[in-house]
Structures are given as structure tokens and as C-alpha cells.
Amino acid sequence: MARVVILGGGVAGHTAATFAKEWLGEEHEVVVVTPDGNWNWTPSNIWVGTGEMRKEDAVFPIAPVYEKVGIDYREAKAVSIHPEGKSDSDKAFVTIEYTGQGKAGQSEELSYDYLVNATGAKLDFDATPGLGNGNAEPGPHTVSVCTAEQALHASEELEKVMEKMRKGQKQTILIGMGHGMCTYQGAVFEYIFSIEHKLREEGIREYAEIIYISNESFLGDFGMGGMHIKMGGYAGSSKLFTESLYNERDIKWILGAHVTKVEEGRVTYKTLDGDTHEQEFDFAMLIPLFAGVGIKAYDKEGNDMTDKLFTPNGFMKVDADYTPKPYEEWKASDWPSTLQNPDYKNIFAAGIAFAPPHSISKPVQAPDGTPITPAAPRTGMPNAMMGKAVAASIRDMILEGASEPTHTANMSEMGATFVTSAGKDFFTGTAVAMTIYPIVPDYEKYPDTGRDINITTAEIGLAAHWTKHIQYHIFMYKAKLLPGWTLIP
Amino acid sequence: MGDKYMDPYTPKTGAIVSLSFGKFLRACILWQVVRFVVINLRMIVLILKSKH
């Protein structure tokens, strides 16, 4: 019997665990270690954050689902990885610390034959002074929609400023990135347009000045260096499409910004030209910097070797080319395929937890060297594909004796769909449906724009909202492992 | 809001402007049914191209 331990129960971890169990059956053990007892469909946090969905509809308890299919679930967080075992044993193990199941605070050593690191990211609010509360949680001045709980709080704060608007008071709404190295621009895009739609539906839009603040150097970068889409016989930049939408909805934008300080009702930010500015607000939703969750690694003698498994920002090293090189020399082949750790062949990383070789957007910085560049996005569909590919490779290594991973999930060879809500209503709602292939541009394969122009598209309309709505129900169904879930792509 | 988009001397000048027929199509049920099929077929193609 082999034991597969999966750290993290988000999209990547949940997908890896459920497919691994489905394929490996009762003869092998699949263990999931995740500190949160609820599974959260994070794309729906946007609707929770505008008060258009109940928090309870975006989450469900994970323990009964895992119990149903025989996955061993530990409500705990991973503390350290010991890939060589310890002085009296060669068996690899992880140290976990329980956060629930009546054992909060207790530590345990959990041995493994295969390990999948799918912990997601630590929301590093404290990387921006004033954005956090000192405990890696949102501070008192702004809100976040990164978790369902945070989104619920955001909707409550939003309701307060909306109440003032109903009384005729002008309010400034600031939404965007709380650090110069943030990712998650797609979700922020969704949140800003959902709020704008909600205010219009209520007839109070004229009382709100809505401002987007971002580390992108152009609108429509989305952390992917933008994309080109067909426009009347031309291939036009996503900058045109995105600017058009912002203009149409009268949303202002601040670009190339690194937020340096957050105070009550005010942010201070530095821009790419080196200048420092301030922006006042009545309501602000700012995304924090994402970092690795801080798992340590130790060798057989107990010496710290965290830097062997992880990059300095805490993400796990996999089969990527991490050689530092200038933007002009970046290639699609820099990106990892098997997601296997190069030193320990039984360790994989999937989703946000793997260390990308570099960003996708061109790195730029302020004159004093402050980097102001979006990090590479790793969310949703790509994460699920990575989780499934890793599970398939482990399955073949266990059942077929494969010596190398048999499946790949390279972001330069896979696409993504982003359906971003811009108003939730079956008849008056709208959304932007974007398809992009590949996520990381490959200028050798697609010399014109780096991507397949036939399936790299963006359009806005009611149909995209229907798609978004149906996706919510389909993926919640799949995540709950209801009958036929394996048939859902 | 339309006229201010056309001002050639503002930062907004570079953006394309959505016209009334395009906005109508975004909410036209019949057209959106067609687009719904197209969007989802496109997504299926994308998923199939991403399988390795």
C-alpha cells in the first residue's frame, strides 16, 4: 500500500486528491491535510463580496465529502517536510499541526510515499504597511475578497457606503492591488464591475467615484502580459478592450502603482516614474501580496534545507528553468511540465504552491528599484489541470511502476478560461468571457501574438453571465463528488 | 456619456468605443443564446487542446 499525502485542499489539492483516490482505490491511501474545514469555490467570493450570494452558498464542509470516498482528511496545517526521514528512519514524512477535529494545536508526523504540495498562497497582508493587522489578516482600513469570510465582511462594509449614497452622499470606492507584486487582477476586475453594476441597479451610481489601482503597466495586462484578440480583421490588444469597458462604465484607473502605506481613508502609492501619490477613499478593497505558506524543510540530520525545496518567497521548486535571465530571453520552455521537484522525485507541487520561473508580464520597476509588476496568475482552471496531471503521474508511478511522471500540465501548453462577472442577474447581468491559449505566450509556436488567435478571445454579454452561473453549479457539483463528477472537465 | 469618449485630447482617447448596436446585442436574448453556444464550444476546444 502506498500513501499519497496532499497538502492543501483548494482547487489544485482537491482535484489531485479526488482523482488520486478514484484511480488508486481502496488499496492505497490518500490523505489530505488542510487547515480549513470548509471548501470554498473562490470565484464566487466576488458575489459574496457584493452581497449577491450568501457565504453559505460558496462553501461546504469538506469532511463528509472525503469520508464518502475514503479520503483520510486531517484538519491541520503543514509545518515541515522531511523528505529524507530522520536519524532513525529513512521514511519521508511531514509534520502537521492540527487546527480542528478536536486536536487543535497538536502536532503529528505523517509519513508519505508521494507528496503533493498544493497549499496555495499565504495572503501576506502585512507586506504592505497598514494593509494587514499584524497577523496576516486584513487590517481595519480596507477589505478583501480572497476568502469567503473576508468577502462577507467586504459586503457588510460595502453596504455601509451604499447606505450613505442612498442619502445622497458622494463616496469614493477604491479597488485594486495592495502591493506592487500582486496577482489576481482578474478577480479584481470582476469585483469592480460587479459593484458598478450593483450601484447602477440601485440607481445610486452617480454618487460613487470608482477608481481601480493596479500594478499593471497597462490596463488589460492581467498578469499575463495582456493578450491579442481578433477585432474586425485585426489582432488588437486586450488594452483596447479593457480600456473601452472602463470608459463605458466611467471607472478611473491608476496604473503602475505600488501601494506603500494604508491608513484610515487613504493609501499612499509609488508609481513607475518614482513619484509618490495619495488617494483618499471611503471604501477600499485591496488584494494582498501572495507568498508561500512558509513550510520548512529538513534533511535527515535535522538541518534546515528549506532553500533546497523552496524559493525565497516560499513557493516550491519544480521542473522549471529558474536561471535568471532578461525578459527578452524568456521562453515558453522555462515553465514546468511535470511539476516534480528536481531533488525528490516523489514530491510534486500544483497550483499556486509551485514556484514559477518568472512572471509572465514584463518586469518593470520604479527608478529606486522597487519592482512594480504583476506576478503570474495561477488560479482556477489551470490549477485543476495541474492537480489532475500530478495525480495521474503518481497513479502511473504507483500502479504501473513508471519511473518518471507520465503527465504534464505546462502553462505554456494549456489554456484558461476566465469568466468575470460584471453584474449578477439572469436577464440584466453581464460578464466578460475570456479564453486564452496558451496562458504563457509561446512566440516560437505563435510568432505573431504568442497565442492561438482563434481561441484567444474576449467578449462581453449576457451569455457570458449564463456561462459563469452554470460554471458555478457545475463546479460545486463536481467538488462535492456527486454522481458522474469525473465526467465534468 | 458617449460624447466625452470622442474627445481627442483626453487620456481616454485611445480606447475603442462601444456603439449602441453592440450594446444592444450584449443583452439581446436570441443573439446571446448563439453566443452562449459559441463561448462554450470554444471552451471545450480549449480544454481538449490543453490535455496532456
Side-chain angles (χ1 to χ4, degrees), chain A residues 50-383:
Chain A
T50 53
E52 291 175 288
M53 177 179 273
R54 297 183 315 142
K55 177 194 158 197
E56 294 72 24
D57 294 329
V59 300
F60 61 84
I62 198 64
V65 176
Y66 286 157
E67 188 178 356
K68 181 173 67 176
V69 295
I71 292 174
D72 185 351
Y73 165 61
R74 313 291 177 97
E75 192 173 332
K77 63 179 181 182
V79 177
S80 58
I81 302 175
H82 305 255
E84 300 166 2
K86 49 188 174 181
S87 55
D88 59 349
S89 168
D90 291 334
K91 189 69 181 169
F93 69 95
V94 290
T95 304
I96 63 172
E97 183 183 310
Y98 281 89
T99 55
Q101 295 178 317
K103 294 190 269 188
Q106 290 182 28
S107 292
E108 185 178 313
E109 291 179 0
L110 189 62
S111 65
Y112 66 83
D113 296 295
Y114 292 89
L115 181 71
V116 180
N117 178 17
T119 48
K122 170 186 159 191
L123 305 174
D124 197 0
F125 288 97
D126 296 320
T128 304
L131 187 65
N133 68 354
N135 294 311
E137 294 167 348
H141 311 306
T142 62
V143 299
S144 164
V145 292
C146 291
T147 68
E149 194 62 45
Q150 289 169 10
L152 180 62
H153 175 241
S155 75
E156 291 164 356
E157 293 300 313
L158 178 63
E159 179 56 32
K160 289 177 188 172
V161 294
M162 286 179 64
E163 190 54 41
K164 290 179 182 171
M165 288 182 223
R166 290 184 195 109
K167 293 174 182 168
Q169 295 178 34
K170 291 263 186 184
Q171 298 286 287
T172 300
I173 294 175
L174 180 70
I175 296 173
M177 321 312 294
H179 190 278
M181 296 290 284
C182 279
T183 182
Y184 223 35
Q185 283 79 12
V188 172
F189 175 93
E190 201 169 358
Y191 193 57
I192 202 165
F193 279 91
S194 292
I195 286 181
E196 198 277 338
H197 174 85
K198 189 178 172 88
L199 299 182
R200 262 189 300 120
E201 289 290 294
E202 284 228 18
I204 53 175
R205 176 65 180 90
E206 62 185 292
Y207 299 109
E209 180 178 43
I210 306 179
I211 303 168
Y212 174 54
I213 184 167
S214 176
N215 52 352
E216 295 161 285
S217 53
F218 65 90
L219 210 54
D221 179 290
F222 293 120
M224 299 182 294
M227 59 185 193
H228 276 73
I229 53 178
K230 282 183 184 172
M231 292 179 180
Y234 294 87
S237 168
S238 50
K239 177 177 185 287
L240 296 174
F241 178 80
T242 315
E243 283 186 353
S244 174
L245 284 176
Y246 275 70
N247 276 343
E248 187 183 312
R249 302 292 178 92
D250 198 20
I251 297 166
K252 296 181 175 62
W253 61 82
I254 299 166
L255 297 174
H258 166 61
V259 173
T260 54
K261 188 166 66 174
V262 181
E263 299 167 282
E264 180 64 37
R266 184 171 56 205
V267 295
T268 305
Y269 62 94
K270 181 185 290 182
T271 47
L272 282 168
D273 57 12
D275 289 346
T276 298
H277 309 264
E278 289 183 349
Q279 175 62 53
E280 296 194 344
F281 62 82
D282 297 295
F283 171 89
M285 195 291 288
L286 295 177
I287 295 293
L289 180 70
F290 286 6
V293 298
I295 299 174
K296 308 290 275 185
Y298 297 95
D299 67 12
K300 194 171 176 61
E301 284 73 43
N303 301 311
D304 191 323
M305 58 165 192
T306 306
D307 58 353
K308 190 175 180 183
L309 258 71
F310 296 94
T311 52
N313 57 357
F315 294 118
M316 181 169 266
K317 293 176 186 173
V318 290
D319 61 322
D321 180 357
Y322 294 110
T323 311
K325 54 180 100 168
Y327 173 75
E328 290 71 23
E329 294 175 22
W330 289 0
K331 288 185 175 176
S333 55
D334 297 342
W335 287 76
S337 290
T338 65
L339 300 161
Q340 184 185 45
N341 180 265
D343 294 311
Y344 299 98
K345 303 296 183 186
N346 60 344
I347 298 180
F348 294 79
I352 300 174
F354 91 82
H358 41 67
S359 61
I360 303 174
S361 301
K362 184 175 183 176
V364 286
Q365 57 188 36
D368 66 355
T370 304
I372 307 179
T373 303
R378 283 153 288 151
T379 54
M381 180 179 163
N383 287 359

Side-chain angles (χ1 to χ4, degrees), chain A residues 240 244 247-248 381 385 408 413-417 419 435-437 452 457 459-460 462-463 467 470, chain B residues 1 4-5 12 14-16 18 23 26 29 32-33 35-36 39-40 42-43 46-47 49-52:
Chain A
L240 296 174
S244 174
N247 276 343
E248 187 183 312
M381 180 179 163
M385 287 184 172
T408 60
E413 294 174 355
M414 63 179 174
T417 67
V419 187
T435 54
I436 182 166
Y437 184 93
D452 185 339
T457 62
E459 69 175 87
I460 183 167
L462 188 54
T467 303
I470 289 170
Chain B
M1 280 195 259
K4 70 180 172 187
Y5 300 152
K12 293 179 173 182
I16 53 176
S18 50
K23 288 180 185 172
R26 287 182 201 168
I29 300 290
Q32 289 302 309
V33 169
R35 297 314 302 168
F36 178 79
I39 288 169
N40 283 276
R42 198 188 287 142
M43 287 180 179
L46 189 143
I47 290 165
K49 279 195 80 164
S50 301
K51 298 276 185 191
H52 294 95

Side-chain angles (χ1 to χ4, degrees), chain A residues 4 6 10-21 23 116-118 337-339 348-352 354 380-395 407-409 414:
Chain A
V4 182
I6 290 155
V11 173
H14 187 65
T15 305
T18 50
F19 276 101
K21 189 62 187 173
W23 291 328
V116 180
N117 178 17
S337 290
T338 65
L339 300 161
F348 294 79
I352 300 174
F354 91 82
M381 180 179 163
N383 287 359
M385 287 184 172
M386 287 182 222
K388 191 172 180 181
V390 164
S393 289
I394 292 174
R395 172 199 63 196
H407 287 68
T408 60
M414 63 179 174

